[in-house]
Amino acid sequence: MAIDLKETVRPADGTAVLDLFDERPRLLALGEPTHREETLLDLRNDLFRYLVEQEGYRTIALESDCLKGLLVDEYVTSGAGDLDEVVREGISHEWGDLAGNRELVRWMRAYNTDRPASEQVGFAGFDGPLEITAAASPRQALTALHGYLATHVDADLLPCTRDTLDDLLGADDRWTEPAAMTDPARSFGRSPEATRLRLLADDLAELLDEQEPYLLAATSRPAWDRATLSARTATGLLRYHHWMADTTSARLPRLLGVRDRMMAHNLLALARRGPTLVYAHNSHLQREKSAMRMGGDPLEWWSAGALAHARLGREYAFVATALGTIRHQGVDIPPADTLEGLLYALPEDPCVVDARRLSSILGDTRPAQRVSPWFGYAPFDPAHLSDSDGLVFVRDLRDTSAG
């Protein structure tokens, strides 16, 4: 496939990424096709520093637990806590041990030191407190929401007391039962207690909205933002647990959809605060419908990026990352007839690709879909070129597992 890519490719830096857009996006989403690779985290960190120093971005949002992320944000804005402990406890999915994440948090704290709050950068997790295999108890989110309301509004307006919540929640291990992911009967999500908690959580969230003018004046915008995060998380977790107990074929697609809806609503809340760099797996950020196989069954759902784009339009931008080799995982040089193979032949590394221009050059001719020999890497689907704003291509990922 002889194609001249010169017009579509530039050496990778922040300027090349921003030049893909006529206007600065409010949410700039940078995807990755695999996790735990330091080379990709270094590129992300370089881009974020550029966006902060040159373009006025003030927040980075990672595919990490939104409640745990509050610990990291507190550290980078106030210096409270110990760096190593904050990164370990505040970044979920066991990604707190990655050097690139530690360096990101360290740099953010150094940048914020001696700066007024209006000029500081902030950290956010935008995933729910869950994994594909398990979900947290809704206790933390529900009690935080109830506590905020109980402190500031008339007690007669509350739908329940804190004691009622505690009785219904019970022990946390009833919510975190590991076997529930493969056995719906082990889930607590459709018990009478969980069903009542869903109604109470909805009532608490509605009361929060009804009292917004008063609460903003009586507390502060950051306090209100935390309360709304608690409300979104409590209702989302209870919905997720509800579908964990489902026994129909809708169970897994709904779990995937509920998770990404929670992500999307967290992103939309961040977008209202200002320009944000978002970093997560490509499948969570793409505009097209996402797909995967689980247990041999094909599953489809609308990603957080697709949902955010539906609300924000051009203010949402998506730049995917594509890779050449991950030799330490058995992923060798890509076939020449794949998109990754075309890009692997270029001298620029890493590079930024204008995805829509490349799609126009290719016309009806599409490169072959690359097939990965390793389950942990998802090659870029060339059918999604026209729905992506750009690609960052990295030829070879270095093996950093030995330190």
Side-chain angles (χ1 to χ4, degrees):
M1 185 180 295
I3 297 173
D4 186 358
L5 301 182
K6 293 178 182 177
E7 295 183 3
T8 70
V9 175
R10 291 175 55 181
D13 59 25
T15 302
V17 172
L18 266 294
D19 283 350
L20 293 168
F21 316 107
D22 295 330
E23 299 177 3
R24 181 182 66 177
R26 183 166 285 269
L27 287 182
L28 174 51
L30 176 65
E32 62 176 5
T34 186
H35 293 311
R36 300 191 64 85
E37 292 294 338
E38 296 287 3
T39 304
L40 302 184
L41 299 187
D42 290 345
L43 284 169
R44 175 204 66 190
N45 292 352
D46 288 345
L47 176 59
F48 184 57
R49 284 192 290 267
Y50 172 85
L51 293 173
V52 169
E53 294 169 351
Q54 304 298 325
E55 299 292 336
Y57 278 66
R58 286 292 175 265
T59 305
I60 188 168
L62 305 189
E63 182 188 337
S64 182
D65 184 327
C66 58
L67 298 184
K68 289 184 176 181
L70 296 172
L71 177 67
V72 182
D73 189 60
E74 178 69 15
Y75 173 79
V76 300
T77 55
S78 72
D82 171 75
L83 172 60
D84 291 328
E85 181 178 352
V86 163
V87 173
R88 184 174 60 252
E89 299 297 327
I91 299 179
S92 63
H93 302 68
E94 299 183 350
W95 295 337
D97 62 341
L98 297 175
N101 286 334
R102 184 185 189 281
E103 173 57 23
L104 170 70
V105 176
R106 187 208 63 76
W107 179 85
M108 292 176 71
R109 177 61 205 142
Y111 181 89
N112 284 341
T113 301
D114 298 328
R115 277 187 164 85
S118 61
E119 297 178 11
Q120 290 187 347
V121 293
F123 178 96
F126 74 96
D127 200 355
L130 47 85
E131 301 273 2
I132 192 63
T133 56
S137 164
R139 176 184 304 279
Q140 180 181 356
L142 260 180
T143 55
L145 172 60
H146 186 278
Y148 176 80
L149 289 168
T151 302
H152 301 290
V153 304
D154 192 321
D156 291 341
L157 297 176
L158 295 171
C160 64
T161 65
R162 170 64 186 270
D163 287 344
T164 297
L165 286 184
D166 286 337
D167 289 343
L168 292 170
L169 286 163
D172 284 347
D173 59 8
R174 63 169 47 168
W175 299 95
T176 58
E177 166 59 59
M181 192 62 220
T182 54
D183 182 2
R186 301 292 295 274
S187 171
F188 190 67
R190 295 196 178 184
S191 64
E193 294 92 338
T195 300
R196 188 177 175 200
L197 281 168
R198 287 189 73 187
L199 292 174
L200 292 174
D202 284 343
D203 283 345
L204 289 167
E206 287 296 319
L207 180 60
L208 183 69
D209 283 346
E210 291 167 13
Q211 296 291 318
E212 179 178 2
Y214 163 69
L215 290 169
L216 281 173
T219 61
S220 66
R221 171 61 67 177
W224 164 261
D225 287 341
R226 285 197 176 203
T228 57
L229 173 62
S230 296
R232 292 192 303 273
T233 305
T235 55
L237 274 175
L238 286 163
R239 187 176 294 109
Y240 194 88
H241 281 289
H242 174 85
W243 283 103
M244 284 188 75
D246 187 66
T247 58
T248 73
S249 60
R251 181 176 186 262
L252 289 177
R254 285 309 314 271
L255 288 174
L256 292 166
V258 168
R259 180 188 181 191
D260 269 72
R261 179 183 178 274
M262 291 175 70
M263 287 182 170
H265 283 229
N266 286 336
L267 289 180
L268 292 170
L270 291 170
R272 289 190 286 270
R273 290 160 53 179
T276 299
L277 176 65
V278 183
Y279 188 75
H281 198 278
N282 288 332
S283 63
H284 289 305
L285 301 178
Q286 65 190 40
R287 292 187 177 96
E288 286 288 309
K289 207 168 192 179
S290 296
M292 67 180 294
R293 285 188 174 273
M294 186 176 294
D297 296 323
L299 304 173
E300 292 186 336
W301 75 101
W302 289 107
S303 74
L307 296 172
H309 172 69
R311 298 284 184 94
L312 297 176
R314 295 177 63 185
E315 290 190 301
Y316 178 80
F318 171 53
V319 177
T321 299
L323 303 175
T325 71
I326 321 173
R327 288 188 172 91
H328 50 283
Q329 299 291 359
V331 180
D332 212 332
I333 295 174
D337 63 345
T338 63
L339 178 64
E340 289 88 348
L342 288 173
L343 297 173
Y344 197 83
L346 298 174
E348 294 86 355
D349 177 44
C351 63
V352 172
V353 182
D354 186 328
R356 291 200 170 101
R357 182 176 292 183
L358 177 56
S359 178
S360 178
I361 290 173
L362 291 171
D364 295 333
T365 303
R366 283 287 182 267
Q369 172 69 57
R370 188 182 190 185
V371 178
S372 172
W374 175 49
F375 74 94
Y377 159 58
F380 184 80
D381 186 346
H384 292 175
L385 264 178
S386 61
D387 295 295
S388 305
D389 296 296
L391 290 174
V392 173
F393 181 73
V394 181
R395 282 173 57 87
D396 304 290
L397 293 187
R398 67 183 189 275
D399 184 1
T400 58
S401 60

